[in-house]
Amino acid sequence: MKPVQAEDGKQLRFYCCGPTVYAAAHIGNFRTFVVQDVFRRVTELGGLRTKHVRNITDVDDKTIRNSQAQGMELGAYTAKWTDKFHADCKALNCLTPHVEPSAVGHIKEQLEIVQLLMDKGHAYQSEDGSVYFRISSYPEYGRLAHLDRQTLDLGKTATARADVDEYDKDSVADFVLWKARRPEDGPNFWQSPWGEGRPGWHLECSAMSHKYLGDTFDLHSGGVDLVFPHHENEIAQSRCACGGESARHWFHVTHLLVDGAKMSKSLGNMYTLDQLQEMGYAPVALRYVLAGAYYRRPLNFTLTGMKDATSALNKLGRFDKALSKASGAKEPTYRDLCKKQPELGIFAPAWASLEDDLNTPEALGHVFSAMKGVKPEELSADAATQMWQAFRFIMEALGLQLPDPDADIEVPADIKAIADERWAARTAKDWGTADALRAKLAELGWAMKDGKDGYKLTKI
């Protein structure tokens, strides 16, 4: 991503495609949302105000299908999953968008865009009453996705139509703006000049970005899987209906793999935050993994990576606590650091990496390199305070809420059972068994520190 300048030089206005609230968001979804959060934090800590708009898709094929299957009213069904999404975002320390509009709450704005497209000859009504965008009417269609227009048969799109919200990425067809009411939609329909129906998925983002950010705004973000058809269709309908540039810059986050494979329900690797917490991993460990990978490259998620993240966070937490103790100063907050950037000193290279195309893995490398030669207890209070503010500045940019290494940790029952067995072996001077069980605990991400009358477990 090239450096982005706000159009007015004062406030960077950006739109993010939000979740479709038909189930719990998985870690692939959250990779995009966490990286977007880091982008916003770096922008604000760098001294620029932002206007962050992220939508909620609460009406589409999936939300209607799933709510019907569970016998729930659409609004109640999507509200449940919206609340779950918000709770997960809070656990992952994501900043709340300044505006979070919903598709159902903006039917009027969507109908207005369809009418503009009809009036300008970019849309037409089909035999079943649905309204489609005519992609042959927009010469720049395919530019974002680098589609070769010479190989596209745009002349036949009047009969080649995509009437679903998501379709094959090799399909080039007129896409639906307004879907005529069908029996399977149940009571989920609205009145329009073209009859009863509901909006198409692509239309929703254009209506909401236009309402809150105008004809031209600074940046649009989403997962790389949205480039085509979703973002390509957004551009076409937004520019043809409203004029302007739509987004001046695009920021796409590359996909996530799990153990080298694509996420799928059949493989059982579509992890949610709740599932990882049930395994004993803190939300901040997931954030570390998601934020710490370069957004342009695929992230291969593994449980070993979560263990490594936990170990790294404990090192950062110990360093943070030592600086706090040596400083004795008030803890610096995100808002304080946004108002005044501290002298970064040894952490300046980390900040430079974040400003250079959001290179988070390089930034973290600089942080750990800088920490190596520092003994906080040997610093003066003023030097410790300055270093603590600089360190916290980078941690806030990454959105990492560091653990207290001395705090009591909830130990899973299976881990405690192994630790108790090891303590019994040690007490019986069965050193071979004790060493083997210590190694087993380490493999599971736990360290066991022996004391005179007992032991203490800490996350590695």
Side-chain angles (χ1 to χ4, degrees), residues 310-339:
T310 301
S311 177
L313 286 163
N314 284 332
K315 291 178 183 176
L316 294 170
R318 285 190 287 271
F319 187 76
D320 180 69
K321 188 169 185 178
L323 284 175
S324 171
K325 184 177 180 180
S327 165
K330 177 185 175 183
E331 181 177 1
T333 68
Y334 177 73
R335 293 303 167 195
D336 292 337
L337 295 168
C338 283
K339 292 176 183 177

Coordinates of all heavy atoms in Angstrom, one line a residue, residues 310-339:
T310 N 2.1 -16.3 22.3 CA 2.0 -16.2 23.8 C 3.3 -16.0 24.5 O 3.4 -15.1 25.4 CB 1.3 -17.5 24.3 OG1 0.0 -17.7 23.7 CG2 1.1 -17.4 25.8
S311 N 4.3 -16.7 24.0 CA 5.7 -16.5 24.6 C 6.2 -15.1 24.3 O 6.8 -14.4 25.2 CB 6.6 -17.6 23.9 OG 7.9 -17.4 24.4
A312 N 6.0 -14.6 23.0 CA 6.5 -13.3 22.7 C 5.8 -12.2 23.5 O 6.4 -11.2 24.0 CB 6.2 -13.0 21.2
L313 N 4.5 -12.4 23.7 CA 3.7 -11.4 24.5 C 4.2 -11.4 26.0 O 4.2 -10.3 26.6 CB 2.2 -11.7 24.4 CG 1.5 -11.4 23.1 CD1 0.2 -12.1 22.9 CD2 1.3 -9.9 23.0
N314 N 4.5 -12.5 26.5 CA 5.0 -12.6 27.9 C 6.3 -11.8 28.0 O 6.6 -11.1 29.0 CB 5.2 -14.0 28.3 CG 3.9 -14.6 28.7 OD1 2.9 -14.0 29.1 ND2 3.8 -16.0 28.5
K315 N 7.2 -11.9 27.0 CA 8.5 -11.1 27.0 C 8.2 -9.7 26.9 O 8.8 -8.9 27.6 CB 9.3 -11.6 25.8 CG 9.9 -13.0 25.9 CD 10.7 -13.3 24.6 CE 11.2 -14.7 24.7 NZ 11.9 -15.1 23.4
L316 N 7.2 -9.3 26.0 CA 6.9 -7.9 25.9 C 6.2 -7.4 27.2 O 6.5 -6.3 27.7 CB 5.9 -7.7 24.8 CG 6.5 -7.9 23.4 CD1 5.3 -7.9 22.3 CD2 7.5 -6.9 23.0
G317 N 5.4 -8.2 27.9 CA 4.8 -7.9 29.1 C 5.8 -7.7 30.2 O 5.6 -6.7 31.0
R318 N 6.8 -8.5 30.3 CA 7.8 -8.4 31.4 C 8.6 -7.1 31.2 O 8.9 -6.4 32.1 CB 8.7 -9.6 31.4 CG 8.1 -10.8 32.0 CD 9.1 -11.9 32.2 NE 9.5 -12.6 30.9 CZ 8.9 -13.6 30.4 NH1 7.8 -14.1 31.0 NH2 9.3 -14.1 29.2
F319 N 8.9 -6.8 29.9 CA 9.7 -5.6 29.6 C 8.8 -4.3 30.0 O 9.3 -3.4 30.6 CB 10.0 -5.5 28.1 CG 10.9 -4.4 27.7 CD1 12.3 -4.4 28.0 CD2 10.4 -3.3 27.0 CE1 13.1 -3.4 27.6 CE2 11.3 -2.3 26.6 CZ 12.6 -2.3 26.9
D320 N 7.5 -4.4 29.6 CA 6.6 -3.3 29.9 C 6.5 -3.0 31.4 O 6.6 -1.9 31.9 CB 5.3 -3.6 29.3 CG 4.2 -2.5 29.5 OD1 4.4 -1.4 28.9 OD2 3.3 -2.7 30.3
K321 N 6.4 -4.1 32.1 CA 6.2 -4.0 33.6 C 7.5 -3.5 34.2 O 7.5 -2.6 35.2 CB 5.9 -5.4 34.2 CG 5.5 -5.3 35.7 CD 4.9 -6.6 36.2 CE 4.5 -6.5 37.6 NZ 3.8 -7.7 38.1
A322 N 8.7 -3.9 33.7 CA 9.9 -3.4 34.3 C 10.1 -1.9 34.0 O 10.6 -1.1 34.8 CB 11.1 -4.2 33.7
L323 N 9.7 -1.5 32.8 CA 9.8 0.0 32.5 C 8.8 0.8 33.3 O 9.2 1.9 33.8 CB 9.5 0.2 31.0 CG 10.6 -0.1 30.0 CD1 10.1 0.0 28.6 CD2 11.8 0.7 30.2
S324 N 7.6 0.2 33.6 CA 6.7 0.9 34.4 C 7.2 1.1 35.8 O 7.1 2.2 36.4 CB 5.4 0.1 34.4 OG 4.5 0.6 35.4
K325 N 7.8 0.0 36.3 CA 8.3 0.1 37.7 C 9.5 1.1 37.8 O 9.6 1.9 38.7 CB 8.8 -1.3 38.1 CG 9.3 -1.4 39.6 CD 9.7 -2.8 39.9 CE 10.2 -2.9 41.4 NZ 10.6 -4.3 41.7
A326 N 10.4 1.1 36.8 CA 11.5 2.0 36.8 C 11.1 3.5 36.6 O 11.7 4.4 37.1 CB 12.5 1.6 35.8
S327 N 10.0 3.7 35.9 CA 9.5 5.0 35.6 C 8.8 5.6 36.7 O 9.0 6.8 37.1 CB 8.6 5.0 34.3 OG 7.9 6.2 34.2
G328 N 7.8 4.9 37.3 CA 6.9 5.4 38.3 C 5.9 6.5 37.8 O 5.2 7.1 38.6
A329 N 5.9 6.6 36.5 CA 5.0 7.6 35.9 C 3.6 7.1 35.6 O 3.4 5.8 35.7 CB 5.6 8.2 34.6
K330 N 2.7 7.9 35.2 CA 1.3 7.5 34.8 C 1.4 6.7 33.5 O 2.2 7.1 32.6 CB 0.5 8.8 34.7 CG -1.0 8.5 34.2 CD -1.7 9.8 33.9 CE -3.1 9.5 33.4 NZ -3.8 10.8 33.0
E331 N 0.6 5.7 33.5 CA 0.6 4.9 32.3 C 0.1 5.7 31.0 O -1.0 6.3 31.1 CB -0.4 3.7 32.5 CG -0.4 2.7 31.3 CD -1.3 1.5 31.6 OE1 -1.9 1.5 32.7 OE2 -1.4 0.6 30.7
P332 N 0.9 5.7 30.0 CA 0.4 6.4 28.7 C -0.7 5.7 28.1 O -0.7 4.4 27.9 CB 1.7 6.4 27.9 CG 2.5 5.2 28.3 CD 2.2 5.0 29.8
T333 N -1.7 6.4 27.6 CA -2.9 5.8 26.9 C -2.8 6.1 25.4 O -2.0 6.9 25.0 CB -4.2 6.4 27.5 OG1 -4.3 7.8 27.1 CG2 -4.2 6.3 29.0
Y334 N -3.6 5.4 24.7 CA -3.7 5.6 23.3 C -4.0 7.0 22.9 O -3.4 7.6 22.1 CB -4.7 4.6 22.7 CG -4.9 4.8 21.2 CD1 -3.9 4.3 20.3 CD2 -6.1 5.4 20.7 CE1 -4.1 4.5 18.9 CE2 -6.2 5.5 19.3 CZ -5.3 5.1 18.4 OH -5.4 5.3 17.1
R335 N -5.0 7.6 23.6 CA -5.4 9.0 23.3 C -4.3 9.9 23.6 O -4.1 10.9 22.9 CB -6.7 9.3 24.0 CG -7.9 8.5 23.5 CD -8.1 8.7 22.0 NE -9.1 7.8 21.4 CZ -9.2 7.6 20.1 NH1 -8.4 8.2 19.3 NH2 -10.1 6.7 19.7
D336 N -3.6 9.7 24.7 CA -2.5 10.6 25.1 C -1.4 10.6 24.0 O -0.9 11.6 23.6 CB -1.9 10.1 26.4 CG -2.8 10.3 27.6 OD1 -3.7 11.2 27.5 OD2 -2.6 9.6 28.6
L337 N -1.1 9.4 23.5 CA 0.0 9.2 22.5 C -0.5 9.8 21.1 O 0.4 10.2 20.4 CB 0.3 7.7 22.4 CG 1.0 7.2 23.7 CD1 1.1 5.6 23.6 CD2 2.4 7.8 23.9
C338 N -1.8 9.7 20.8 CA -2.2 10.4 19.6 C -2.1 11.9 19.6 O -1.8 12.5 18.6 CB -3.7 10.0 19.4 SG -4.0 8.3 18.8
K339 N -2.2 12.5 20.8 CA -2.1 13.9 20.9 C -0.7 14.4 20.8 O -0.4 15.5 20.2 CB -2.7 14.4 22.3 CG -4.2 14.2 22.4 CD -4.6 14.6 23.8 CE -6.1 14.3 24.0 NZ -6.6 14.6 25.4

